[in-house]
Amino acid sequence: MLNVNTSNKWTRALWEPAAGVVATKPCVELCDMHGQNDFQLVLVDESAVPCRLKLFKGLRVAVESMLAEVPTGIVSFVCDVGNSESTCLAVACGSSLLVYRNMKPYYRYKVPQKDILPAESELWNRMKQSKIQKSQLVDGLKQLQLEHSIGVMSYQSQQLLTLNSADDGTAEENIQSEFIDFVLKKETRGGEGESEVQLQNVHITSVATIPRNQSQTSAVDVLILGTERGSVYFVDSQAYTVLQRNAIGGAVPVKMLPVGHFDLEFRLIVCTREHDVFVLRRSAKGEFSVNSFYIREHPFDVVLCANQLAFATRKRCLVFFSLKGRRQNSMKFDESIADIEQFYYEPKQYSGVLVAVSNEIHLFVDQLRVDTIRMDQPIEWMRYGRMGREEGVLVIATFGGGLCVKIFRRVANFEENRQTMAQRKATKGSIELPKKSRTFIDQSLRERQNAQLLHQIYQRDWFMIKWHATKTFAELKSGNHGALPTADSDEPVQVQFDLLGFGPLFRLKIRLVASKKLDGQQRRWMTFVYNAEEYQFADQMLPIPRPLMPNRPVTFCTNIRCLHPEKQLVEEEVKLVLCREDRSRPIWTANFQMPLSEAEIV
């Protein structure tokens, strides 16, 4: 038996190196087929012809069923509300969905052929009704090929137009005639009176499911089908009718990742064969939109990691995008990426992405590598989910047909690894400089081309700033905007004043506060400068008590009488001055406007 190296975060439950399974990732599913909360491995084994649909019990085949053709993908879905026993398995083969229930054929759903050219369908129907000859049918199809393309025509028309002469000498016309008879006999629906040729040009390339309006395990799902013609079908899993059909510009979907609920709000991320990424979005208001963006590394798979999208690319890169389509980060590997898978462990709320590279599986949480699993053989694909009654089960397939099952340990802890990797990334990581925006580039070109003009504008603006500052200071100095201490004042004094009354008798209330104790040897006065012909002050000078104690307010009051209120036309200005006897310049000054006085009532 080959030795399988594993980390201490995982337990090897099963290992069968000679299972002989040949399968692709889209044809592998972990689902509860019997509704007993017992999840089992279901896959399509292509090791023999015809291929077989197999249900495993552990790593032993329990049930198998033969398939007529190789499917492009399988997916499990729930078709009855609240009934977990209604889990079915959809197998996408050609243009049909083969629905299995309890691993037995249950229903065959054929995708509606909505991309057939009307003129092509009309030609075949007229041929069925014997209104035209076979040569006219071939000529009409060739004309449609010139007008459109052979790629948009039905498979029957494509095969008819590409038939050549046989090796035994049979003429091309005879081969085409026999093929037309075969198509008219096989691909006909309806009664004899209204026969119609059933043409096909829809081939399913990818399949997925999305919950309809609930998040429970037993909630009804909606099937999502991607076709070769670049169309996405949303199919009701109960009535098997098309709920919605959208085109993505002719690109072929190879991987679809749904997020949300179909009836409420959802996003569908589609990776295409042309390496474009399309996002089909329905908002909570019911508005639907289709957007696309290009990833230069050529993505081929996508998974949801927390609130980010992780894309695996052909150029050995793992690229992270936000749900809004903004690039977040990228990681480069030494070898090509074989597969990626979403990692989510609900008991500890771990969310990350598993990346298979050669014979190693790296686990990234918060874009930091926290664990590595090593195998002795190169890894072909992996599938993470529930198996049996265990959560956190990882099924690994190796080249050569080997199968391995690992279970995530309940006691595993990533916190130490995350802290160590975060510190290492912080110390060794290079500084990520922001990219130059278009606005930055335009502004740089403008500065280079108009350097002299920009310097003149700068000099003008600088002069205007100095002029406004000087003007404002002059206005404050003149007293138009309130109190202003003198330049040589070293006494921290705050003065507030209020003018009360309507006239002709006013009352001036002055409140003085010192922030520190002032010298008591020098005397101070509060005096007033006013127009003596208009006003009369009861006290022209108010002595300030000494010393002034810190933070102890001192209040003064004086009466002002307007001498001629009936002759007043303009407001007069009064100036308050705080003086000290040993200084010629005042300590503090302030101006205020006397209001127009009302006439004396008595």
Side-chain angles (χ1 to χ4, degrees):
M1 179 181 293
L2 294 175
N3 182 27
V4 180
N5 299 322
T6 181
S7 69
N8 57 1
K9 305 293 190 302
W10 301 81
T11 300
R12 190 187 71 184
L14 300 171
W15 167 235
E16 182 56 57
V21 173
V22 178
T24 57
K25 174 70 174 292
C27 295
V28 181
E29 187 74 10
L30 292 172
C31 57
D32 182 15
M33 292 297 299
H34 303 291
Q36 300 176 356
N37 200 25
D38 184 15
F39 288 76
Q40 296 172 314
L41 175 64
V42 182
L43 55 82
V44 177
D45 188 3
E46 303 175 13
S47 59
V49 179
C51 58
R52 299 174 182 271
L53 180 66
K54 295 183 178 181
L55 173 68
F56 287 79
K57 184 69 174 179
L59 291 182
R60 294 184 179 181
V61 179
V63 182
E64 66 176 27
S65 177
M66 289 190 298
L67 299 174
E69 55 182 313
V70 179
T72 56
I74 64 174
V75 67
S76 61
F77 65 95
V78 178
C79 57
D80 291 340
V81 180
N83 185 8
S84 59
E85 297 181 0
S86 65
T87 303
C88 298
L89 186 71
V91 182
C93 293
S95 61
S96 302
L97 274 182
L98 307 180
V99 181
Y100 286 79
R101 201 163 191 170
N102 293 327
M103 288 303 294
K104 296 180 181 179
Y106 176 71
Y107 184 72
R108 181 188 182 98
Y109 172 70
K110 206 160 190 177
V111 181
Q113 308 293 322
K114 295 187 177 182
D115 295 325
I116 300 293
L117 296 174
E120 180 186 1
S121 180
E122 179 67 20
L123 285 173
W124 281 99
N125 291 332
R126 293 182 65 184
M127 182 66 213
K128 178 66 178 178
Q129 299 169 5
S130 301
K131 294 183 179 180
I132 60 174
Q133 298 180 359
K134 296 179 181 179
S135 59
Q136 293 176 330
L137 172 64
V138 175
D139 294 340
L141 294 177
K142 289 182 179 180
Q143 184 64 28
L144 288 177
Q145 178 184 357
L146 296 176
E147 294 177 359
H148 301 277
S149 172
I150 194 172
V152 301
M153 301 176 70
S154 64
Y155 298 141
Q156 291 85 348
S157 299
Q158 293 179 20
Q159 189 171 356
L160 175 61
L161 295 176
T162 55
L163 289 175
N164 297 322
S165 301
D167 296 336
D168 56 359
T170 306
E172 181 178 349
E173 291 78 6
N174 296 335
I175 298 177
Q176 291 178 347
S177 177
E178 293 177 0
F179 180 77
I180 292 173
D181 294 337
F182 173 77
V183 172
L184 295 179
K185 182 179 179 181
K186 181 181 179 182
E187 306 293 344
T188 303
R189 61 184 178 184
E192 296 181 357
E194 50 176 359
S195 59
E196 183 179 349
V197 180
Q198 186 177 4
L199 303 177
Q200 299 179 5
N201 70 342
V202 173
H203 184 82
I204 301 175
T205 58
S206 59
V207 60
T209 61
I210 183 174
R212 181 131 195 184
N213 49 27
Q214 296 178 355
S215 299
Q216 289 84 357
T217 308
S218 59
V220 176
D221 295 322
V222 174
L223 295 169
I224 307 175
L225 309 178
T227 65
E228 189 78 28
R229 291 294 305 277
S231 299
V232 178
Y233 293 81
F234 295 86
V235 180
D236 187 1
S237 62
Q238 294 177 304
Y240 294 101
T241 57
V242 177
L243 300 175
Q244 183 176 326
R245 173 180 171 271
N246 300 101
I248 55 174
V252 182
V254 294
K255 172 67 177 180
M256 298 186 296
L257 175 65
V259 180
H261 302 83
F262 178 77
D263 288 342
L264 304 178
E265 182 180 4
F266 73 89
R267 281 185 175 91
L268 179 64
I269 295 89
V270 182
C271 293
T272 64
R273 193 178 296 165
E274 292 76 10
H275 308 303
D276 291 323
V277 178
F278 288 83
V279 180
L280 285 70
R281 180 178 180 271
R282 173 185 286 174
S283 64
K285 298 180 180 180
E287 300 174 352
F288 190 83
S289 61
V290 179
N291 300 315
S292 65
F293 58 92
Y294 179 75
I295 301 178
R296 58 180 178 271
E297 291 87 357
H298 300 170
F300 66 91
D301 202 352
V302 58
V303 296
L304 182 65
C305 175
N307 292 325
Q308 291 181 328
L309 300 174
F311 290 90
T313 66
R314 302 289 182 188
K315 296 186 178 181
R316 301 179 297 177
C317 287
L318 182 66
V319 186
F320 292 91
F321 275 76
S322 67
L323 290 177
K324 294 184 178 180
R326 297 177 180 175
R327 190 182 182 110
Q328 303 289 335
N329 193 13
S330 62
M331 301 178 184
K332 185 82 171 180
F333 294 90
D334 296 334
E335 299 183 43
S336 300
I337 298 177
D339 192 15
I340 62 172
E341 185 72 9
Q342 180 186 10
F343 172 80
Y344 179 69
Y345 190 64
E346 186 176 2
K348 292 190 176 182
Q349 296 296 310
Y350 287 150
S351 181
V353 56
L354 294 160
V355 183
V357 179
S358 184
N359 63 334
E360 295 182 344
I361 299 177
H362 304 286
L363 175 57
F364 292 89
V365 177
D366 295 336
Q367 301 184 16
L368 299 174
R369 189 177 65 180
V370 296
D371 192 26
T372 300
I373 303 173
R374 292 179 176 85
M375 305 288 292
D376 284 343
Q377 294 181 354
I379 299 169
E380 185 176 3
W381 54 262
M382 57 184 173
R383 179 69 75 178
Y384 178 84
R386 298 183 62 184
M387 188 172 180
R389 300 184 185 276
E390 290 289 336
E391 295 184 3
V393 178
L394 181 63
V395 181
I396 306 171
T398 61
F399 283 95
L403 286 178
C404 181
V405 177
K406 296 180 180 294
I407 302 176
F408 186 72
R409 294 179 183 268
R410 295 187 179 94
V411 296
N413 189 4
F414 289 143
E415 297 302 326
E416 295 181 0
N417 296 5
R418 291 167 66 181
Q419 294 177 2
T420 303
M421 294 300 296
Q423 294 175 359
R424 187 180 304 173
K425 184 178 180 180
T427 55
K428 295 186 178 181
S430 59
I431 300 176
E432 296 184 0
L433 298 177
K435 295 183 178 180
K436 295 180 180 179
S437 62
R438 184 63 184 175
T439 305
F440 175 81
I441 295 175
D442 294 342
Q443 182 66 17
S444 301
L445 293 176
R446 177 174 173 268
E447 292 177 356
R448 292 177 184 176
Q449 297 172 359
N450 305 284
Q452 186 175 1
L453 177 61
L454 292 177
H455 180 70
Q456 293 176 357
I457 295 174
Y458 165 76
Q459 292 291 343
R460 182 200 64 188
D461 294 343
W462 176 237
F463 172 78
M464 294 301 296
I465 290 175
K466 293 191 292 183
W467 182 77
H468 282 294
T470 305
K471 180 181 177 182
T472 304
F473 182 79
E475 291 177 353
L476 292 174
K477 188 73 174 178
S478 62
N480 294 337
H481 290 79
L484 181 71
T486 57
D488 56 351
S489 175
D490 57 352
E491 298 190 0
V493 179
Q494 296 181 1
V495 182
Q496 299 176 356
F497 56 90
D498 295 317
L499 184 64
L500 309 176
F502 297 96
L505 184 63
F506 299 91
R507 187 172 182 83
L508 180 62
K509 186 177 181 181
I510 303 173
R511 186 171 180 269
L512 189 144
V513 181
S515 59
K516 70 176 183 178
K517 185 178 179 180
L518 300 182
D519 184 14
Q521 298 180 359
Q522 304 295 335
R523 291 183 295 177
R524 299 172 182 82
W525 292 273
M526 178 68 70
T527 183
F528 310 98
V529 180
Y530 59 95
N531 186 0
E533 296 180 357
E534 292 289 340
Y535 298 100
Q536 180 182 359
F537 278 68
D539 302 299
Q540 295 186 0
M541 297 183 67
L542 297 174
I544 306 299
R546 51 180 183 175
L548 282 176
M549 303 304 295
N551 300 324
R552 294 291 182 88
V554 179
T555 304
F556 308 93
C557 294
T558 184
N559 295 330
I560 305 174
R561 174 173 291 275
C562 181
L563 300 178
H564 309 288
E566 68 280 356
K567 297 181 181 180
Q568 262 193 330
L569 298 177
V570 295
E571 296 179 351
E572 294 286 343
E573 185 179 90
V574 177
K575 188 173 185 179
L576 282 71
V577 181
L578 180 61
C579 303
R580 202 169 76 174
E581 64 177 355
D582 60 338
R583 291 189 179 181
S584 59
R585 300 190 63 179
I587 300 173
W588 178 90
T589 61
N591 290 17
F592 68 91
Q593 299 288 337
M594 290 292 297
L596 295 178
S597 175
E598 295 185 0
E600 191 170 2
I601 300 176
V602 181

